[in-house]
């Protein structure tokens, strides 16, 4: 049983993502965020095309709480896609800046985006090691 009675502030801050978004840039399509019952985990449903290939999957985002251990402070996720891949990320929302690292906090692959004043867009870019990456914009629909 979870000894926490409420989700962490770092997790609840991601409430700004709840809803359906059109994604444009290096990946195109839609993503939808919703809370799992209890509010400890945010679920993302992904239907994108990236580099000409479909990317369909689901991501579970929240604080880790392994059996018998204390709740972790980072907001982590695991993404599961229709091709059998699992990808891990770390989320951080500070003010209007959303950062998502691939793998671990501070890793060389990451997204940084800014929420617009009205919260209807997130504009940013993915950065990959060796100079790769792409611009990405999410627009609430």
């Amino acid at each position: 049983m979870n000894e926490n009675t409420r989700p962490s502030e770092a997790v609840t801050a991601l409430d700004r993502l709840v809803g359906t978004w059109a994604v444009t840039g290096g990946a195109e399509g839609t993503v939808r965020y919703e809370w799992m019952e209890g509010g400890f985990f945010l679920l993302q449903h992904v239907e994108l095309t990236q580099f000409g290939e479909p990317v369909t999957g689901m991501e579970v985002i929240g604080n880790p709480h392994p059996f018998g251990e204390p709740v972790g402070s980072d907001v982590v996720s695991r993404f599961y896609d229709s091709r059998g891949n699992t990808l891990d990320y770390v989320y951080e929302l500070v003010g209007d800046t959303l950062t998502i690292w691939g793998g671990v906090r501070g890793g060389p692959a990451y997204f940084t985006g800014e929420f617009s004043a009205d919260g209807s867009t997130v504009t940013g870019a993915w950065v990959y090691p060796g100079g790769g990456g792409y611009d990405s914009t999410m627009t609430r629909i």
Side-chain angles (χ1 to χ4, degrees):
M1 183 171 175
N2 191 337
E3 73 267 9
N4 293 333
T5 58
R6 285 184 277 185
S8 73
E9 288 182 24
V11 170
T12 59
L14 296 177
D15 190 60
R16 295 173 75 180
L17 291 170
V18 171
T20 303
W21 301 80
V23 177
T24 57
E28 306 271 334
T30 60
V31 296
R32 180 175 50 87
Y33 293 89
E34 65 179 340
W35 287 110
M36 186 173 146
E37 185 175 339
F40 287 92
F41 297 99
L42 186 63
L43 307 177
Q44 180 185 198
H45 304 272
V46 175
E47 293 184 21
L48 299 171
T49 300
Q50 184 179 29
F51 308 122
E53 298 291 324
V55 178
T56 303
M58 186 183 98
E59 184 175 21
V60 179
I61 306 161
N63 295 112
H65 189 192
F67 183 75
E69 296 182 24
V71 175
S73 60
D74 277 345
V75 177
V76 300
S77 74
R78 177 155 287 168
F79 176 76
Y80 303 88
D81 76 15
S82 59
R83 294 178 177 219
N85 296 305
T86 58
L87 304 171
D88 295 330
Y89 296 93
V90 177
Y91 278 67
E92 180 180 71
L93 180 58
V94 177
D96 291 331
T97 304
L98 175 65
T99 304
I100 306 168
W101 289 277
V104 297
R105 176 184 291 280
Y110 61 91
F111 170 83
T112 302
E114 296 288 325
F115 277 88
S116 62
D118 66 0
S120 65
T121 61
V122 180
T123 304
W126 280 97
V127 175
Y128 296 148
Y134 58 88
D135 291 339
S136 181
T137 300
M138 294 193 325
T139 304
R140 192 178 298 277
I141 52 176

